[in-house]
Amino acid sequence: MTPHRRSARFIAGPAKLAVYARIALHVVARYAALPGVFGWSPAAYLKFLVRALELLVVFRHNKIVRTARGFKLHLYLPAYPTPAFFQAIETKLVRTPPGPITVVFSMTKACTYKCQHCYQRLDGGADLAEETMLRTARAVQERGVAMFDIEGGEPLLRPARLLRLLNAIDRRSEIWVNTVGARADAATLERLKEAGLAGIMVSVHSPDEDRHDAFTGVPGSFRAACNALAEAHRIGLMAAVNSVLAEEEIVTGGLDRLMDLARDLDCDFVQLIHPKPAGKWLGRREAMQGDAGILAAVRGKHLHYNGRGTPDHPSLAAQVFEESARVFGCTAGGVDRFYVNAFGEVQPCEFLNISFGNVREESFDAIFDRMRGFFPTPCLDWLCCTQAGAIHDLVRAGGAERTPVPWDLTRSLADQWERGRPTPLYRRLGVYR
């Protein structure tokens, strides 16, 4: 792709105003034609518009990515003007109480990689029976979820099961698949695209080939990941790099090299996840990127790569920026996201190895309501960091042989945890009471 065409794909600076204006006018007109949504109340309609504008403005720190499906304002916001985009708006600003926009949905534990940081490494149990999995996915979507992030293990190891899951999710949700890329050949990706797949997130944990291969424990994994990203872009799927960069690489320019690699592969997004003391790293304290200087540097890179000065680079979604006090804070527990593991455990986040119940034993709705009872309002503390030690202690004290910690033990932690100050954004929106 030529630099000119790349630049047309990524919209930054004042040029974003035209897209924002288009979206704002569309929202005004769409919901003016649906007065029953607000109980025929002009005041409720106007309040909704003000909240929608406030929510739109928070994405100003991100590049807009022009895709085949429309405009992506954020990696985890469905493309405008798809049905999933409006599902997200209604889930957050019309429903009472507001619902989550994103679910990370594990459909299988099967995986041939040995990634050092794997947050599922201690997870036990067999994959859900397919009908239970599909029923759970439908129940999740009815909660207003507008984006499914389907993962494994490695979902492409079970392509028939993955296709049936895609077909069970309707157009109210945008669907992505997390993969290591090893089986993402053209024919497979084409079939998934026909079934509704919007994009793939491919794990690249270092811009250095040898270092990435050592991290995954699989020779050739770097080249497989790069090939998958390039192939996805070629056939019209959105493509994102999913990366957990080591602290050493962050401080030695590894993020810049990763962004250059993603640019050369024509990716749309790079998601940078800071290391978490979860799964195989549960109980670990060193190199978890808690240093304030490193966090500030990464937040600066987020602004840099989403600004006008990098027109050819993809949008960077740095978790330490997105979860900061100026943006969304911690969104776990069904505030904006939650996790369903392959065995059926419903967790606040994939990086919190605790469960609020299993869909093998109870309905998803009952478990979800229980979980939301412990997350009534959005707050700022990153529980994956502040509660990791307590979770580790529960695992050891309970003699658990696998994670996540079951509900009966989870409750002893959740009853007493502190979640920090309320998130300023959601306090301003006033949608959580």
Side-chain angles (χ1 to χ4, degrees):
M1 178 173 288
T2 66
H4 174 73
R5 290 181 63 198
R6 276 205 195 103
S7 300
R9 190 162 112 231
F10 301 119
I11 305 170
K16 292 191 291 188
L17 293 176
V19 179
Y20 290 154
R22 174 179 170 181
I23 295 172
L25 290 172
H26 190 168
V27 169
V28 169
R30 176 186 176 93
Y31 291 99
L34 299 169
V37 171
F38 306 101
W40 303 92
S41 167
Y45 169 65
L46 290 173
K47 183 179 288 188
F48 161 77
L49 293 181
V50 170
R51 287 170 170 169
L53 180 60
E54 177 93 27
L55 189 60
L56 181 66
V57 168
V58 80
F59 298 117
R60 69 190 183 279
H61 303 297
N62 296 69
K63 276 177 178 168
I64 297 174
V65 182
R66 191 194 309 265
T67 76
R69 289 176 172 246
F71 296 97
K72 287 277 287 183
L73 279 62
H74 185 276
L75 177 58
Y76 286 102
L77 181 68
Y80 165 83
T82 63
F85 174 86
F86 292 104
Q87 170 89 330
I89 289 179
E90 293 171 18
T91 294
K92 193 54 61 183
L93 301 180
V94 177
R95 288 192 178 216
T96 304
I101 291 176
T102 303
V103 65
V104 180
F105 195 97
S106 178
M107 51 151 282
T108 181
K109 279 195 64 189
C111 189
T112 58
Y113 279 43
K114 305 175 184 65
C115 298
Q116 296 175 15
H117 69 309
C118 181
Y119 54 79
Q120 303 171 0
R121 181 54 63 88
L122 304 180
D123 284 7
D127 291 348
L128 282 176
E130 188 169 294
E131 184 49 46
T132 305
M133 178 189 71
L134 299 181
R135 183 174 66 247
T136 301
R138 295 185 191 104
V140 165
Q141 190 173 42
E142 289 306 315
R143 285 291 181 151
V145 166
M147 181 161 172
F148 274 75
D149 195 4
I150 298 173
E151 60 164 32
E154 172 50 60
L156 297 185
L157 286 172
R158 303 193 66 182
R161 181 178 171 94
L162 175 57
L163 277 170
R164 286 189 284 270
L165 178 55
L166 291 177
N167 287 321
I169 302 166
D170 64 41
R171 295 172 63 245
R172 290 174 295 168
S173 301
E174 183 173 289
I175 309 171
W176 289 64
V177 162
N178 283 4
T179 176
V180 297
R183 294 172 179 258
D185 58 86
T188 298
L189 292 179
E190 287 282 9
R191 286 196 299 272
L192 297 175
K193 182 183 176 185
E194 290 172 5
L197 183 65
I200 62 172
M201 299 186 194
V202 182
S203 299
V204 181
H205 298 305
S206 172
D208 178 79
E209 181 171 357
D210 292 339
R211 188 163 189 152
H212 172 87
D213 287 0
F215 189 90
T216 64
V218 177
S221 59
F222 179 86
R223 187 49 44 197
C226 292
N227 290 342
L229 288 162
E231 190 63 37
H233 177 76
R234 188 189 68 79
I235 69 170
L237 287 170
M238 288 180 275
V241 166
N242 221 4
S243 185
V244 179
L245 283 185
E247 194 169 90
E248 176 190 347
E249 289 208 272
I250 291 290
V251 300
T252 58
L255 179 52
D256 293 318
R257 296 192 297 275
L258 182 70
M259 293 301 295
D260 288 345
L261 173 67
R263 174 200 60 198
D264 295 342
L265 292 170
D266 280 325
C267 295
D268 299 292
F269 294 92
V270 171
Q271 177 173 228
L272 182 66
I273 303 170
H274 57 98
K276 309 291 181 73
K280 193 174 181 182
W281 281 350
L282 187 63
R284 179 174 174 173
R285 296 183 179 181
E286 70 277 5
M288 291 290 102
Q289 292 180 23
D291 181 84
I294 294 177
L295 297 181
V298 172
R299 289 170 182 150
K301 292 293 184 182
H302 179 100
L303 295 173
H304 171 68
Y305 282 108
N306 285 299
R308 287 189 296 169
T310 55
D312 299 334
H313 285 82
S315 176
L316 174 61
Q319 230 175 44
V320 298
F321 184 93
E322 305 285 6
E323 296 178 352
S324 65
R326 69 192 296 186
V327 191
F328 295 107
C330 179
T331 62
V335 171
D336 283 337
R337 63 184 284 123
F338 65 100
Y339 179 57
V340 180
N341 89 348
F343 185 59
E345 304 285 359
V346 180
Q347 303 175 217
C349 169
E350 62 268 37
F351 303 114
L352 279 167
N353 298 131
I354 55 176
S355 172
F356 282 81
N358 192 296
V359 297
R360 296 170 185 261
E361 301 162 357
E362 300 177 83
S363 72
F364 167 77
D365 287 330
I367 300 169
F368 184 81
D369 288 341
R370 174 190 300 142
M371 180 173 67
R372 281 305 304 272
F374 288 89
F375 294 84
T377 57
C379 293
L380 292 177
D381 281 3
W382 300 345
L383 295 180
C384 57
C385 298
T386 63
Q387 300 300 322
I391 294 171
H392 188 223
D393 289 344
L394 276 177
V395 170
R396 291 186 299 178
E401 297 180 358
R402 67 187 191 197
T403 55
V405 173
W407 162 238
D408 58 340
L409 292 177
T410 291
R411 182 165 192 164
S412 66
L413 169 65
D415 276 338
Q416 60 181 324
W417 64 20
E418 296 290 334
R419 298 178 49 238
R421 294 185 295 111
T423 305
L425 167 67
Y426 283 123
R427 173 168 277 184
R428 292 195 303 272
L429 289 177
V431 293
Y432 290 90
R433 306 184 192 284

